[in-house]
Structure formats: structure tokens, C-alpha cells
Amino acid sequence: MEILRLGNDTLRQKSEPVEKVTDEIRQLVEEMFKTMDAGKGVGLAAPQVGILKRLFVITADDGVRRVFINPQIIATSQETCEFEEGCLSIPNVWEYISRPAKVTVQALNEKGKPFTLEADGYLARIIQHENDHLDGILYIDRGDAEFRQKTIDSFEKRELRRQEKQALKAAKAAKIAAKKAKKQEKPC
């Protein structure tokens, strides 16, 4: 699976509920865990891999693999905590973000069974971060406005450079193909 990067419109869209937990959804969950692990992340939401469904997977510092399908944060603490966050969709960019220190979330697991989880610390932060993805919110939206804009501008420039490189590569490949075709037309 490809992890979408900042600038991709899918990351800014609101996800739809999962209607039924099927084998297809379970397969998606497994692929998301593999993708998250390959990216050395601690959480991954379906929109980050181009699927606008309300589900995310996480593996916090306790090493437990958790699946949240159609999650709803039903309570948050008034106490907040500031911590440095990053995101697989915004690689190599970190910022201190303030979030509630504790959350209570209800969701379905990969078997379709409902559960309620009270979380604090790092686990609570990851849940909030991934849940934001389901509503098209990125962690940079919750921080300093100047930092947010600088990050967006930087990723737009990266994308332009990537597109320019692709265009040059395609032009070079076309030129080589044209030379080969011309050679084949000439008799020996």
C-alpha cells in the first residue's frame, strides 16, 4: 500500500462508516498493519492509504496491535498534555501538539465486536491523532498556524520538484524510444 502525502486531497476528506466488518475489511486491516510497520509508524488510518473508511490501526508503546472500526471518542479529559507528533503522511516533520491527556473511545474490533477503551498518555494521543485523520484533520492543523503553512508550502515545492523530475524522465524515455524506433526502420 502507498501512504498518501500531505497535498493529496484524500487526506482532507471525511471518511464514511464501515457498514459491515467483512473478510475484505480484515484483509485491509492486515495490509494496513504491514504498511504501518514498514513505515516505522505507530498508527495508520485508512484515508492515509486512500480508503475513505472510518477505521485505523495502532501499535502503541505497549506493543499491542489495536483495530478501531467506526471509532467515536465519547469523553476527553480537561487536562491536556503537549507532546511532539509526527505522521507517516508528513514524513520528517514534527511539532509539539496539545491534546487531552485522557480519552474514552468506543469502536468495533476486527471481528466486529464493540468495545470501549479508556486510554491515557501515548495511547490516548495516538487514538486522537488517527481519529482526526477520519475527519480530514492533520496534526499540523492543531499546532502553530505559521508552522502549518510553512509545512504545506514545503510539501507543495517537493511535489513540484517530483513532477518536474518525472516529466524529465518521461521525456528522456520518449527520446530513447524514438531513437530505437528510428534505428529499427533503417536497413542494415
Side-chain angles (χ1 to χ4, degrees):
M1 299 181 114
E2 179 187 348
I3 297 174
L4 303 181
R5 300 279 174 98
L6 178 63
N8 187 300
D9 292 339
T10 301
L11 293 173
R12 295 305 196 166
Q13 295 179 34
K14 194 169 179 134
S15 297
E16 296 292 322
V18 172
E19 291 181 25
K20 186 176 179 185
V21 180
T22 61
D23 286 341
E24 183 178 282
I25 293 294
R26 284 185 277 281
Q27 181 62 38
L28 171 61
V29 163
E30 284 308 310
E31 290 300 316
M32 287 175 62
F33 271 119
K34 287 178 189 173
T35 302
M36 180 189 76
D37 292 342
K40 297 185 179 7
V42 294
L44 186 66
Q48 290 180 272
V49 292
I51 299 166
L52 289 171
K53 292 292 180 189
R54 295 192 74 79
L55 78 93
F56 60 84
V57 299
I58 65 174
T59 304
D61 49 0
D62 59 5
V64 177
R65 289 172 34 132
R66 292 181 174 92
V67 177
F68 296 78
I69 299 172
N70 297 333
Q72 292 182 345
I73 294 176
I74 59 171
T76 59
S77 66
Q78 288 187 357
E79 176 192 356
T80 61
C81 177
E82 191 170 84
F83 192 80
E84 191 174 43
E85 288 189 31
C87 182
L88 292 172
S89 292
I90 311 173
N92 304 314
V93 177
W94 295 271
E95 183 180 17
Y96 281 90
I97 303 295
S98 183
R99 294 189 186 267
K102 298 177 183 179
V103 297
T104 303
V105 61
Q106 290 180 333
L108 301 175
N109 67 16
E110 67 276 15
K111 295 175 183 167
K113 300 223 187 252
F115 68 92
T116 301
L117 176 67
E118 291 181 19
D120 61 4
Y122 195 47
L123 179 57
R125 178 166 298 276
I126 299 168
I127 290 168
Q128 292 171 82
H129 177 110
E130 298 308 329
N131 196 67
D132 275 352
H133 276 296
L134 306 182
D135 293 320
I137 299 167
L138 302 174
Y139 80 97
I140 60 171
D141 300 334
R142 298 205 177 272
D144 177 72
E146 188 177 321
F147 176 83
R148 177 186 179 277
Q149 193 57 53
K150 190 170 128 181
T151 302
I152 290 169
D153 292 346
S154 170
F155 271 77
E156 285 174 355
K157 286 178 188 172
R158 285 185 200 181
E159 180 59 20
L160 282 174
R161 283 194 305 269
R162 189 190 66 75
Q163 288 175 3
E164 288 169 357
K165 283 181 181 179
Q166 267 187 326
L168 285 171
K169 194 174 181 179
K172 188 176 181 179
K175 192 174 181 179
I176 290 169
K179 281 183 180 180
K180 284 182 179 179
K182 200 169 193 177
K183 261 187 179 179
Q184 288 177 350
E185 289 175 3
K186 291 182 182 180
C188 296

